Amino acid sequence: MKYLVASMLVAASSVAAARPAPLVSIPSHDGFFDNIAAHCGKAYEGKVSVDNAAGPSSFAGKKLVMHVRRCNERELQVPFHVGDDASRTWIITKTGSGLSLKHDHRHKDGSDDKSTMYGGHTLDAGFANAQSFPADQYSKELFVSQGIPQSMGNTWQMYIYPKQFSYRLVREGREFRVDFDLTKPITPPNAPWGYED
């Protein structure tokens, strides 16, 4: 009898321990996440509205498309297609201490680019329609190893309003922004490189 009671207590405690920890968040982060998730499955065309880099832009004359492709309660996957280049996917994740933005870069064969998974994490509440992601330590070390230490100062920003989504990169002396028209959904593109439909 003692053995039966003991084994029941062990079984009950293992069931209780198996429950995942709750995903905590704050209203402004939830609102931002939910505002993007509301577009899940849809794709939109955009245009470069600001780019102060010297020389010709690699985005010039190319169709720019964002696709809110995969969504669950913790993560949003948003491929960013530049013409025929399907190497980029923005990954927005609830971390329990804010929101993370990562840039997943792949080669056409699906393998990781040497510059991948860089990004940042929110440091404050932000707003339901605007969040900032200053470069995290992994990204800073990656940029230094790649000989682009100026990128250590990167902050990525995303804005979502009823009619427009914007992706913006800023650092000292550099600004880049793409605006997407949310009033005109387009046919979603194929899966980005390294992902499956």
Side-chain angles (χ1 to χ4, degrees):
M1 183 67 171
K2 287 182 182 178
Y3 174 75
L4 179 61
V5 171
S7 61
M8 288 174 63
L9 288 173
V10 168
S13 66
S14 66
V15 170
R19 186 182 68 77
L23 180 64
V24 297
S25 193
I26 62 173
S28 55
H29 292 158
D30 288 339
F32 178 80
F33 190 95
D34 293 345
N35 282 337
I36 296 175
H39 295 272
C40 204
K42 296 179 181 176
Y44 305 96
E45 192 166 351
K47 63 180 181 179
V48 175
S49 56
V50 179
D51 187 358
N52 68 351
S57 170
S58 60
F59 291 6
K62 295 179 180 173
K63 185 175 182 179
L64 307 179
V65 175
M66 66 171 283
H67 177 199
V68 186
R69 185 172 176 272
R70 293 278 187 266
C71 311
N72 63 42
E73 66 178 6
R74 291 178 181 257
E75 182 180 276
L76 306 174
Q77 296 176 2
V78 185
F80 173 39
H81 297 257
V82 179
D84 295 329
D85 184 338
S87 66
R88 301 167 177 86
T89 299
W90 301 321
I91 299 176
I92 302 160
T93 307
K94 289 186 177 183
T95 67
S97 59
L99 297 172
S100 165
L101 168 65
K102 289 291 185 175
H103 298 74
D104 184 359
H105 284 233
R106 309 280 183 100
H107 295 291
K108 201 166 189 177
D109 65 2
S111 62
D112 294 331
D113 189 276
K114 66 179 182 178
S115 179
T116 192
M117 298 311 287
Y118 62 85
H121 196 281
T122 55
L123 298 180
D124 55 28
F127 302 92
N129 48 11
Q131 292 291 335
S132 292
F133 306 89
D136 58 26
Q137 193 60 36
Y138 166 80
S139 304
K140 291 176 181 180
E141 294 185 24
L142 178 69
F143 296 146
V144 169
S145 72
Q146 293 179 341
I148 50 172
Q150 66 274 19
S151 294
M152 290 175 62
N154 283 5
T155 294
W156 296 272
Q157 297 172 329
M158 289 182 165
Y159 307 87
I160 182 159
Y161 294 94
K163 295 183 178 181
Q164 182 172 292
F165 174 89
S166 299
Y167 167 90
R168 181 178 184 231
L169 163 68
V170 291
R171 67 172 178 260
E172 186 174 351
R174 179 78 172 105
E175 181 178 5
F176 173 81
R177 192 175 97 194
V178 184
D179 297 325
F180 298 88
D181 185 351
L182 299 183
T183 68
K184 298 175 183 174
I186 64 172
T187 301
N190 293 331
W193 299 342
Y195 290 76
E196 296 180 359
D197 284 324

